[in-house]
Amino acid sequence: MNMADRIQQLRKSRGISQEELADKIGVSRQAVSKWESEQSVPDIEKVILLSDYFETTTDFLLKGIEPAQEAEKKYSAMIFSIAGTVLNGIGLVAAVFLWIERQMAYTTGIGLAAMLAGTGIFLAGQFCDTKDKPKARRFFILPNAWILLFIPLSCCYNLLSGRLGGFWGQPAPVPLLRNSYQTFGLFWVLYFLLCTAVDIFAVRAERN
């Protein structure tokens, strides 16, 4: 395996395109294409940037020398992201089903506690000595925007809609049909727009 193959392999392992890698390193997509097709090689400054981005060594990029000790020492941050996402999803589902069965405010607390723990697991993967952090961060943010925002937005909607009716509503983990279908529909529109905006912002921030 030569240097061109190693760059291509690292790029594909991150699940990014040539254009995305070019944006990260500060070169054109054509430059990355030439590196991977052996038409040219990156200069030493770009090799250093590539090694920092891919969290590997310059020796691996230039000579193919595996950073064996580092590879053995590090866990993948993806493990933390997957575990955190699963726990967040369980928290949301548990809160909704417990609310349907019990109709008690503490079910919201159960869901939020599980999500707090799930998010903590993800953050641990970002701050610990792990690899694949950018990929894990993207994997976590995109679906969890929809999971983590649902209960807080539902609670705000229920409390405010109840207030409009002359009383404080219940902090339920799901939106309740209090006043009108228009108000209920507005919740879903705002939820969709906010989650979509978070995902778009996350993707753009990752590319910059």
Side-chain angles (χ1 to χ4, degrees):
M1 182 184 292
N2 55 32
M3 185 176 182
D5 295 329
R6 288 190 287 274
I7 293 175
Q8 186 179 68
Q9 182 186 60
L10 289 167
R11 176 179 63 78
K12 290 184 176 180
S13 71
R14 288 293 179 92
I16 61 173
S17 65
Q18 289 182 342
E19 184 175 358
E20 289 173 317
L21 177 58
D23 288 340
K24 294 292 184 182
I25 305 304
V27 297
S28 66
R29 187 198 64 78
Q30 289 78 10
V32 175
S33 178
K34 288 181 179 180
W35 295 346
E36 295 186 358
S37 60
E38 298 184 78
Q39 296 180 45
S40 66
V41 295
D43 59 36
I44 190 62
E45 179 185 352
K46 298 301 187 251
V47 170
I48 294 172
L49 290 174
L50 286 167
S51 69
D52 289 341
Y53 177 70
F54 289 123
E55 297 180 328
T56 188
T57 63
T58 54
D59 278 345
F60 174 72
L61 286 170
L62 294 169
K63 304 175 184 178
I65 300 175
E66 291 279 356
Q69 292 182 346
E70 288 294 314
E72 292 175 1
K73 182 178 67 173
K74 289 185 177 181
Y75 292 98
S76 173
M78 284 295 295
I79 297 174
F80 294 85
S81 289
I82 293 171
T85 299
V86 170
L87 187 54
N88 287 342
I90 290 173
L92 176 59
V93 172
V96 171
F97 276 94
L98 284 172
W99 170 262
I100 293 173
E101 182 179 348
R102 306 275 181 163
Q103 301 285 302
M104 298 294 290
Y106 72 83
T107 60
T108 299
I110 292 175
L112 292 175
M115 291 179 182
L116 183 63
T119 303
I121 291 173
F122 158 71
L123 292 175
Q126 292 293 303
F127 287 104
C128 292
D129 188 19
T130 55
K131 57 184 178 180
D132 299 328
K133 291 181 181 179
K135 181 179 179 181
R137 189 161 52 244
R138 182 170 61 251
F139 176 87
F140 183 85
I141 292 175
L142 295 183
N144 280 276
W146 300 82
I147 298 173
L148 295 175
L149 290 174
F150 188 79
I151 291 181
L153 288 177
S154 294
C155 289
C156 292
Y157 166 78
N158 293 325
L159 291 171
L160 291 174
S161 63
R163 187 60 179 168
L164 290 173
F167 61 94
W168 284 111
Q170 293 175 291
V174 293
L176 305 175
L177 183 59
R178 291 291 191 186
N179 296 320
S180 65
Y181 286 105
Q182 288 84 357
T183 304
F184 187 68
L186 181 61
F187 165 82
W188 290 105
V189 171
L190 291 175
Y191 170 69
F192 177 82
L193 291 176
L194 183 58
C195 293
T196 301
V198 171
D199 281 351
I200 293 173
F201 176 80
V203 170
R204 288 183 175 177
E206 191 68 25
R207 290 179 176 177
N208 294 331

